[in-house]
Amino acid sequence: IPDDHWLMEAQNAMDDNFPKGEDDDAQIVNIIWGVDGLDKDTIDDRWDPDDAGEIVWDNKFNPASSSSQLRLKSICQLLKSDSYANLVLDRNVKCFIGDFEEFITKEKSGTFPVPENQFVTSITEFLANDQYGAEYRNDDMIGLLDGRIYYIFFRVVGKGDRGPKSTLEPRWEKWEDLIDSLNSNSGAGLNDAFHTSLWWAWYPTESALVGDAIQGMLIACSISFLILVVTTHNVILAFYAIICIAGIVTSVMSIVYFNGWDFGTAESIAVVILIGFSVDYVVHICHAYVESHHRSKFERTRDALAKMAISIVGGAITTFGDGCMLFFTTFIFFQKFAWIVTSTIVFALIWSLVFFPALLFVVGPQGQTGDVRVFLKKVYKKYQDYKVSKQAAK
């Protein structure tokens, strides 16, 4: 939705004037210890969202030692310090170790860190205490089961807004660097942490969409070239057409760049349709050029324009008008779609009715130049001569 829409104005006012918590639309990053991975070989039905596989626990994970307890405390303090103010929003970090220390020293009149053989018992009492451990118990931040701690995690409210791949990627790399630093400075039992966030789930999805869009354009251009060779029987004409198609795509992508858009989800979806519009008008000129009864490139080009230009312009006007209607929508996705559709039509007209005919006027194929049928006939003749010579040798 545009920033001047009343909903966005209200949302921006809330974001700018009020601090975010973990219940708001902020990035929640969990730093997790104790999990080694996910065994997906046990999945019976991959379409069942509840059947995600079995958790593989990290058997080397040990938060009970005195050194591990002190290290967890130092990590919690580090996350709340100015060192990571560029990642952590308002020092908003939920880590149990601080409240656990307070529980031990004030409620139990003990010392911190607790002896390793008393750690599980102390954690059990801590979680059962409503004053100190209720929120960690309710959020399952300590995986205590059958006298064993399987996992723990710290919850961090991250800084930054949800955005496209270009926004999330540098933030992802910073969190990766943070986790690498924590692991390298931690001893055995706490040196295999990792981070998760719901926002990271969209990051590889969008990366795949962008990659698939680029791959789709390359595949579409390749297939278009083959189809043009088959339909026009002329490899030179097909090559010229692909140059024009590439020019149209590049021109439209420049509109995306100059508008300051990131190549994200909306752009990757819309750009797939771009190839179809780009091929359409050039193919009509190619077909008319091949079907012309004239022999010179000048006459054939003029004949192609005389036959197809009016139809192309008429089709372009209706498609351009349809695209213009999307400019009046509220959602930015449709507005971007309008820009891509209308700019594609404009550039397709320019490239197909100006550049492409000019190219044909100057270096268009004449007679049998570039005709694949002539080449195939020569190949077939060579093959026949080879068979005759082989039979004669026998």
Side-chain angles (χ1 to χ4, degrees), residues 156-226:
V156 182
V157 179
K159 180 174 288 186
D161 296 323
R162 191 191 304 267
K165 174 179 178 291
S166 59
T167 302
L168 290 178
E169 187 170 22
R171 201 183 308 162
W172 160 271
E173 292 173 352
K174 289 179 181 178
W175 276 102
E176 284 285 281
D177 293 339
L178 167 60
I179 296 301
D180 290 341
S181 175
L182 295 181
N183 286 334
S184 61
N185 292 305
S186 299
L190 283 181
N191 59 354
D192 201 14
F194 63 95
H195 63 101
T196 65
S197 174
L198 184 61
W199 289 16
W200 300 149
W202 186 243
Y203 167 57
T205 302
E206 185 167 301
S207 299
L209 285 173
V210 173
D212 289 347
I214 297 173
Q215 183 183 46
M217 286 192 293
L218 295 175
I219 293 174
C221 286
S222 302
I223 294 176
S224 298
F225 176 77
L226 294 176

Side-chain angles (χ1 to χ4, degrees), residues 57 120 123-124 127 140 142-151:
W57 301 110
V120 174
I123 286 291
T124 303
L127 292 175
D140 293 323
I142 302 175
L144 178 62
L145 182 65
D146 298 331
R148 175 185 170 183
I149 297 177
Y150 286 87
Y151 70 87

Side-chain angles (χ1 to χ4, degrees), residues 27 34 115 190 215 273 357 393-394:
Q27 182 177 17
L190 283 181
Q215 183 183 46
I273 304 172
K394 290 182 179 180

Side-chain angles (χ1 to χ4, degrees), residues 28-257:
I28 306 301
V29 181
N30 295 320
I31 302 176
I32 303 174
W33 291 267
V35 178
D36 195 34
L38 193 65
D39 184 7
K40 295 186 177 183
D41 293 335
T42 60
I43 296 177
D44 296 324
D45 183 7
R46 63 175 181 168
W47 303 111
D48 182 6
D50 295 325
D51 189 7
E54 293 185 1
I55 297 175
V56 179
W57 301 110
D58 182 5
N59 294 322
K60 295 180 291 184
F61 169 61
N62 179 24
S65 67
S66 297
S67 60
S68 293
Q69 295 176 54
L70 292 173
R71 178 57 181 161
L72 287 173
K73 179 181 177 181
S74 67
I75 290 175
C76 184
Q77 293 172 342
L78 183 65
L79 292 172
K80 294 180 179 180
S81 69
D82 293 335
S83 301
Y84 293 104
N86 61 328
L87 288 179
V88 181
L89 182 65
D90 299 329
R91 295 184 172 86
N92 197 331
V93 181
K94 183 186 287 188
C95 40
F96 75 91
I97 196 68
D99 287 329
F100 176 66
E101 179 183 10
E102 186 176 345
F103 169 75
I104 292 297
T105 55
K106 294 184 177 180
E107 187 75 13
K108 305 295 291 184
S109 300
T111 58
F112 180 85
V114 300
E116 183 171 353
N117 59 356
Q118 299 177 16
F119 184 74
V120 174
T121 302
S122 299
I123 286 291
T124 303
E125 295 174 353
F126 167 71
L127 292 175
N129 187 285
D130 290 336
Q131 179 181 353
Y132 290 97
E135 62 176 331
Y136 306 105
R137 179 181 70 240
N138 295 335
D139 290 345
D140 293 323
M141 296 184 70
I142 302 175
L144 178 62
L145 182 65
D146 298 331
R148 175 185 170 183
I149 297 177
Y150 286 87
Y151 70 87
I152 60 173
F153 68 85
F154 293 171
R155 179 165 292 164
V156 182
V157 179
K159 180 174 288 186
D161 296 323
R162 191 191 304 267
K165 174 179 178 291
S166 59
T167 302
L168 290 178
E169 187 170 22
R171 201 183 308 162
W172 160 271
E173 292 173 352
K174 289 179 181 178
W175 276 102
E176 284 285 281
D177 293 339
L178 167 60
I179 296 301
D180 290 341
S181 175
L182 295 181
N183 286 334
S184 61
N185 292 305
S186 299
L190 283 181
N191 59 354
D192 201 14
F194 63 95
H195 63 101
T196 65
S197 174
L198 184 61
W199 289 16
W200 300 149
W202 186 243
Y203 167 57
T205 302
E206 185 167 301
S207 299
L209 285 173
V210 173
D212 289 347
I214 297 173
Q215 183 183 46
M217 286 192 293
L218 295 175
I219 293 174
C221 286
S222 302
I223 294 176
S224 298
F225 176 77
L226 294 176
I227 292 174
L228 285 167
V229 170
V230 172
T231 54
T232 64
H233 307 137
N234 196 297
V235 67
I236 296 176
L237 201 60
F239 178 71
Y240 291 164
I242 290 299
I243 292 176
C244 290
I245 294 169
I248 296 168
V249 173
T250 305
S251 300
V252 175
M253 288 297 98
S254 69
I255 295 295
V256 173
Y257 175 79

Side-chain angles (χ1 to χ4, degrees), residues 354-379:
V354 178
F355 177 82
F356 191 50
L359 187 64
L360 295 179
F361 270 132
V362 177
V363 288
Q366 300 184 93
Q368 295 181 336
T369 305
D371 195 329
V372 293
R373 291 171 296 185
V374 175
F375 172 75
L376 292 175
K377 286 179 181 178
K378 289 182 178 180
V379 171

Side-chain angles (χ1 to χ4, degrees), residues 298-314:
F298 178 80
E299 294 292 339
R300 297 176 80 176
T301 304
R302 189 173 66 177
D303 196 24
L305 288 174
K307 290 180 178 178
M308 300 306 303
I310 295 177
S311 300
I312 290 174
V313 171

